[in-house]
Amino acid sequence: MSIFGFGASASLNLTLSPPPSNTFKDIGKPLTVSSTKDGPPPLANDSPEVRKVPVYTGTDKVEGTLSLTLPQGKKLDHLGIKVELIGRVEMFYDRGGVHDFTSLVKEVDAPGTIYDSKEYPLSFDFEKPYESYRGLNVRVRYFLRATLSRNYSGNLTSEKEICVQHITNEPEINNSIKMEVGIEDCLHIEFEYERQKYGLSDVIVGKIFFLLVRIKIKHMELAVIRRESAGTGQNIYNESETLIKYEIMDGAPVRGECIPVRLFLAGVPGELTPTYRNVGNRFSLKYYINLVLVDEEDRRYFKQQEVTLWRKVLG
């Protein structure tokens, strides 16, 4: 709306400086590789458009400029200008489930009259406890919102979203996984994976040994599953999604046979994130390796093993 009748209007615009890593990311869609027919309704204030946002680590400052543009020869009366930086968890299934875990406010100009266009430098150095995340039922987002307050003509606002990612060191303890599973007197297998914790582009290497086989196995599959648990108390919603599935054996195995496993996480479609545990007491995100045996009668025998994913680099 024009604040000068039918003439040109004032505008407020946030501009962010490039992040220290000079890394940018496209956001705007949930991190899903499949969905229902229509998909879930969008979260509040969500934009269907894919847009490029800067990526910051947990220790980076967020800097930029707030620009107020006035038409030449005009003035603007206002009640103050402020910039907020907000970190928020939003739940899809709970419209009242908005939790702000970070909220900073800077008053950049006191109430008064402005006669010319102005620029205000901005700098926020703040704690970023969680990564940005866009899931099926929940999202974690960080955004800056500038507001110029006025009496009668409506406020001017501008908003910019940022992405936060945490780079972590390689785990000091990373034991192998070794388990024996089976059905008494029918099937006995042993599977072994080199590690329990993996970077987002690592290769999962392992072996599967058949110690006893008295079931006619048709084939064997290996899958990576992502499980999102959102909510609290009795209102917890679990969504499991198979990110990728391989057939690693075709035909009946024999006793003593060993099947090698090499699963490239970099080739998993969609976007992998680190494992998240109890983010803001609102949700968790876990990953599993799912081993499935299918017999000739199409009965399925499976075993899931949780693995922990961590981030080596921004991206």
Side-chain angles (χ1 to χ4, degrees):
M1 295 177 57
S2 172
I3 63 172
F4 307 106
F6 296 99
S9 61
S11 63
L12 197 64
N13 185 53
L14 275 170
T15 303
L16 297 179
S17 303
S21 65
N22 203 32
T23 301
F24 294 84
K25 177 181 176 60
D26 290 332
I27 66 168
K29 294 182 179 179
L31 305 182
T32 175
V33 296
S34 63
S35 63
T36 60
K37 180 179 179 181
D38 298 319
L43 289 161
N45 301 319
D46 203 6
S47 170
E49 298 179 356
V50 176
R51 54 203 183 278
K52 194 176 293 291
V53 300
V55 179
Y56 297 86
T57 68
T59 58
D60 290 340
K61 289 183 179 181
V62 177
E63 298 180 320
T65 303
L66 174 64
S67 301
L68 173 62
T69 303
L70 295 182
Q72 188 173 4
K74 301 295 184 179
K75 68 176 183 177
L76 174 63
D77 296 324
H78 68 95
L79 302 177
I81 304 173
K82 67 180 180 180
V83 179
E84 303 167 89
L85 193 150
I86 298 172
R88 176 174 292 176
V89 178
E90 298 175 343
M91 312 293 292
F92 163 64
Y93 281 108
D94 182 2
R95 288 301 180 184
V98 174
H99 168 61
D100 289 348
F101 54 85
T102 294
S103 182
L104 302 175
V105 180
K106 290 191 175 183
E107 303 288 344
V108 299
D109 207 339
T113 302
I114 299 176
Y115 296 91
D116 295 298
S117 299
K118 296 183 69 174
E119 289 191 347
Y120 306 91
L122 302 173
S123 180
F124 287 91
D125 190 2
F126 66 104
E127 183 181 2
K128 311 174 193 65
Y130 311 122
E131 284 204 346
S132 300
Y133 172 70
R134 305 177 71 83
L136 294 172
N137 298 321
V138 63
R139 70 176 178 179
V140 180
R141 59 190 295 252
Y142 294 83
F143 60 96
L144 283 80
R145 182 169 56 207
T147 304
L148 183 148
S149 300
R150 294 183 293 184
N151 258 331
Y152 306 109
S153 304
N155 297 339
L156 295 178
T157 61
S158 178
E159 188 171 304
K160 289 288 185 180
E161 188 163 356
I162 67 172
C163 177
V164 172
Q165 295 182 347
H166 292 165
I167 298 176
T168 55
N169 296 324
E170 187 162 352
E172 294 183 4
I173 300 176
N174 199 354
N175 298 324
S176 62
I177 300 172
K178 188 173 183 180
M179 295 184 66
E180 294 184 7
V181 296
I183 304 171
E184 187 175 359
D185 297 329
C186 295
L187 178 67
H188 188 188
I189 64 175
E190 178 182 276
F191 64 86
E192 180 178 348
Y193 302 115
E194 285 187 348
R195 291 175 284 159
Q196 197 272 330
K197 302 173 183 177
Y198 298 89
L200 300 183
S201 58
D202 282 352
V203 181
I204 297 177
V205 178
K207 299 176 182 178
I208 300 171
F209 300 93
F210 288 87
L211 305 178
L212 176 65
V213 184
R214 291 179 180 170
I215 296 176
K216 294 182 179 180
I217 301 297
K218 185 166 59 174
H219 65 267
M220 181 165 59
E221 301 169 350
L222 197 68
V224 177
I225 294 176
R226 175 166 57 207
R227 182 170 299 151
E228 179 187 280
S229 299
T232 57
Q234 296 181 342
N235 300 317
I236 295 180
Y237 299 89
N238 295 306
E239 295 280 357
S240 294
E241 186 177 18
T242 300
L243 303 181
I244 197 167
K245 181 168 63 176
Y246 293 104
E247 184 176 290
I248 60 174
M249 185 191 71
D250 184 17
V254 296
R255 180 179 179 181
E257 189 167 356
C258 174
I259 306 297
V261 173
R262 291 184 66 85
L263 197 158
F264 293 82
L265 293 177
V268 174
E271 181 182 346
L272 287 178
T273 71
T275 297
Y276 301 140
R277 302 190 188 278
N278 198 25
V279 174
N281 294 320
R282 293 300 193 279
F283 81 97
S284 297
L285 189 72
K286 299 179 180 180
Y287 291 88
Y288 297 86
I289 301 175
N290 193 40
L291 178 66
V292 180
L293 297 171
V294 183
D295 67 14
E296 291 186 344
E297 297 180 8
D298 286 330
R299 291 176 297 196
R300 302 172 73 85
Y301 310 88
F302 66 91
K303 178 65 178 178
Q304 284 190 359
Q305 173 61 48
E306 184 182 354
V307 293
T308 300
L309 301 188
W310 55 284
R311 187 183 302 280
K312 294 181 179 181
V313 297
L314 299 180

Coordinates of all heavy atoms in Angstrom, one line a residue, residues 192-194 198 204-208 258-263:
E192 N 27.4 -58.2 10.1 CA 28.4 -57.4 10.7 C 28.7 -56.1 9.9 O 28.8 -56.2 8.6 CB 29.7 -58.2 10.8 CG 30.9 -57.4 11.4 CD 32.2 -58.3 11.6 OE1 32.1 -59.5 11.4 OE2 33.2 -57.7 11.8
Y193 N 28.6 -55.0 10.5 CA 29.0 -53.7 9.8 C 30.2 -53.1 10.5 O 30.4 -53.2 11.7 CB 27.8 -52.7 9.9 CG 26.5 -53.3 9.3 CD1 25.4 -53.5 10.1 CD2 26.4 -53.6 7.9 CE1 24.2 -54.0 9.6 CE2 25.2 -54.1 7.4 CZ 24.1 -54.3 8.2 OH 23.0 -54.8 7.7
E194 N 31.0 -52.5 9.7 CA 32.3 -52.0 10.2 C 32.2 -51.0 11.3 O 33.0 -50.9 12.2 CB 33.2 -51.4 9.0 CG 33.8 -52.5 8.1 CD 34.7 -51.9 7.1 OE1 34.7 -50.6 7.0 OE2 35.5 -52.6 6.5
Y198 N 28.3 -42.9 10.8 CA 28.7 -42.6 9.4 C 28.5 -41.2 9.1 O 27.5 -40.6 9.5 CB 28.0 -43.5 8.4 CG 28.2 -45.0 8.6 CD1 27.4 -45.7 9.4 CD2 29.2 -45.6 7.9 CE1 27.6 -47.1 9.6 CE2 29.4 -47.0 8.1 CZ 28.6 -47.7 8.9 OH 28.8 -49.1 9.1
I204 N 28.7 -47.6 3.8 CA 28.5 -48.7 4.8 C 29.0 -50.0 4.2 O 28.5 -50.5 3.2 CB 27.0 -48.7 5.1 CG1 26.5 -47.4 5.7 CG2 26.7 -49.9 6.1 CD1 25.0 -47.4 6.0
V205 N 30.0 -50.5 4.9 CA 30.6 -51.8 4.5 C 30.3 -52.9 5.6 O 30.4 -52.6 6.8 CB 32.1 -51.6 4.4 CG1 32.8 -53.0 4.0 CG2 32.4 -50.6 3.3
G206 N 29.9 -54.0 5.1 CA 29.6 -55.1 6.1 C 29.6 -56.5 5.4 O 29.9 -56.6 4.2
K207 N 29.2 -57.5 6.2 CA 29.1 -58.9 5.7 C 27.9 -59.5 6.3 O 27.5 -59.2 7.5 CB 30.4 -59.6 6.0 CG 31.7 -59.1 5.4 CD 32.9 -59.9 5.9 CE 34.2 -59.3 5.4 NZ 35.3 -60.1 5.9
I208 N 27.3 -60.5 5.6 CA 26.2 -61.3 6.1 C 26.6 -62.7 6.0 O 26.8 -63.2 4.9 CB 24.9 -60.9 5.4 CG1 24.6 -59.4 5.6 CG2 23.8 -61.8 5.9 CD1 23.4 -59.0 4.8
C258 N 28.8 -66.2 2.5 CA 29.0 -64.9 3.0 C 28.7 -63.9 1.9 O 29.2 -64.0 0.8 CB 30.5 -64.7 3.5 SG 30.9 -63.0 3.9
I259 N 27.8 -63.0 2.2 CA 27.3 -61.9 1.3 C 28.0 -60.6 1.7 O 27.7 -60.1 2.8 CB 25.8 -61.8 1.2 CG1 25.2 -63.2 1.0 CG2 25.4 -60.8 0.2 CD1 25.5 -63.8 -0.4
P260 N 28.8 -60.0 0.8 CA 29.4 -58.7 1.1 C 28.3 -57.6 1.0 O 27.4 -57.7 0.1 CB 30.5 -58.5 0.1 CG 30.1 -59.4 -1.0 CD 29.3 -60.5 -0.5
V261 N 28.5 -56.5 1.7 CA 27.6 -55.4 1.7 C 28.4 -54.1 1.5 O 29.4 -53.9 2.2 CB 26.8 -55.2 3.0 CG1 26.0 -53.9 3.0 CG2 25.9 -56.4 3.2
R262 N 28.0 -53.3 0.5 CA 28.6 -52.0 0.3 C 27.5 -51.1 -0.1 O 26.9 -51.2 -1.2 CB 29.7 -52.0 -0.8 CG 31.0 -52.8 -0.4 CD 32.0 -52.7 -1.5 NE 32.5 -51.3 -1.7 CZ 33.5 -50.8 -1.0 NH1 34.1 -51.5 0.0 NH2 33.9 -49.5 -1.2
L263 N 27.2 -50.1 0.8 CA 26.0 -49.2 0.5 C 26.6 -47.8 0.6 O 27.1 -47.3 1.6 CB 25.0 -49.5 1.6 CG 23.6 -48.9 1.4 CD1 22.6 -49.7 2.2 CD2 23.5 -47.4 1.6

